[in-house]
Amino acid sequence: MTVLRDADLAAAFDHASLSYDSLVAVNPGYHSQLRRSVRRLGLPRAGAGLRVLDLGCGTGASTAALAAELPGADLTAVDASAGMLRRAARRRFHRPVRFVHAPVERLAKADVHGPFDAVFAAYLLRNTAAPDSVLASALGLLAPHGRLAVHEYALSGRAAHRAVWTAVCGTVILPVATLLGDGPLYRHLWRSVVTFDTAGQLAERVRRAGFEHVRVLPLPGWQTGITHTLVARRPAAGTEGAAR
């Protein structure tokens, strides 16, 4: 099978939105690892006075992680799936969050404008048809020295880690998802990970997009070698070309 893209993927996420959080709940460490990736942004003062963009917020798990770790930040969360976004907007936050229904390439038309102090993208890049364009958009939305954190299923490149991912999908995720009627989306999930960049390749992709100080950081638990945090920074104004 091929991976899902654009409207087909958004429709699959719409269909899965009601059961998505239930499947997430069986993943040990899912929420704590998102919070760890937020902390790796290294933003000061618990985000007080800072603008943070959550790209591809889904049902709001990443937004909740941002709100928990950066209670002082002004959060904007966007997603291309209306169903997922409705679930996210129903969450309770200690301060208002702006939720926007739009694909990344149409953020300006949806009145989402920078500069942001940080962009957080969880499980987004491998779900886009043009990850380089997404990274270019993120770079353009960031203030000089603004920070990027990508929390992504990006395999280490070792055969053992690919085997663990395939085993977990085949024995746990896909059977449950199929019972819930969301088999196509989660078959896409498995396939999109094994065909996407390794962690090292993703780091190089981010560097090519113009970011500097790119680091790949592992995450603990069963997802070691499967999920990584990638952190980077936009260069000072006027130096983006040199960063490439």
Side-chain angles (χ1 to χ4, degrees):
M1 63 163 290
T2 59
V3 295
L4 300 173
R5 289 293 181 230
D6 301 328
D8 290 336
L9 182 58
F13 274 118
D14 285 345
H15 187 272
S17 60
L18 294 178
S19 61
Y20 189 84
D21 288 334
S22 297
L23 269 170
V24 162
V26 305
N27 182 345
Y30 185 93
H31 296 287
S32 63
Q33 290 188 0
L34 282 170
R35 291 180 62 161
R36 184 186 296 264
S37 289
V38 172
R39 292 194 296 273
R40 287 170 169 174
L41 279 167
L43 296 178
R45 306 183 307 279
L50 301 181
R51 297 185 72 215
V52 178
L53 176 63
D54 186 9
L55 275 182
C57 67
T59 61
S62 53
T63 317
L66 287 163
E69 297 296 331
L70 302 171
D74 177 11
L75 298 180
T76 298
V78 303
D79 202 273
S81 165
M84 300 290 269
L85 201 67
R86 281 192 295 271
R87 300 288 293 182
R90 289 176 190 149
R91 291 178 182 261
R92 301 187 66 170
F93 296 93
H94 66 277
R95 60 181 294 174
V97 175
R98 182 190 178 200
F99 288 99
V100 179
H101 177 217
V104 175
E105 60 270 19
R106 297 178 190 166
L107 291 184
K109 291 183 179 178
D111 197 28
V112 176
H113 302 283
F116 289 92
D117 299 287
V119 171
F120 190 78
Y123 308 119
L124 172 68
L125 288 180
R126 65 186 163 75
N127 281 322
T128 64
D132 293 331
S133 295
V134 173
L135 288 169
S137 295
L139 186 75
L141 288 164
L142 281 168
H145 297 306
R147 301 175 190 184
L148 170 74
V150 175
H151 177 101
E152 187 60 271
Y153 291 120
L155 298 173
S156 68
R158 293 180 56 188
H161 293 143
R162 178 181 174 128
V164 170
W165 170 247
T166 295
V168 169
C169 286
T171 61
V172 179
I173 298 174
L174 282 173
V176 174
T178 299
L179 286 173
L180 294 171
D182 293 313
L185 176 62
Y186 290 91
R187 285 191 292 273
H188 157 85
L189 171 65
W190 168 77
R191 182 72 175 169
S192 69
V193 173
V194 299
T195 59
F196 189 57
D197 296 348
T198 64
Q201 290 168 341
L202 181 56
E204 183 55 34
R205 185 189 292 273
V206 172
R207 289 189 189 96
R208 289 197 308 268
F211 289 90
E212 64 180 9
H213 301 300
V214 180
R215 292 185 296 149
V216 177
L217 304 171
L219 287 159
W222 76 267
Q223 292 187 57
T224 297
I226 296 170
T227 310
H228 293 83
T229 315
L230 191 148
V231 292
R233 191 178 73 177
R234 175 176 175 164
T239 62
E240 287 88 346
R244 290 184 180 88

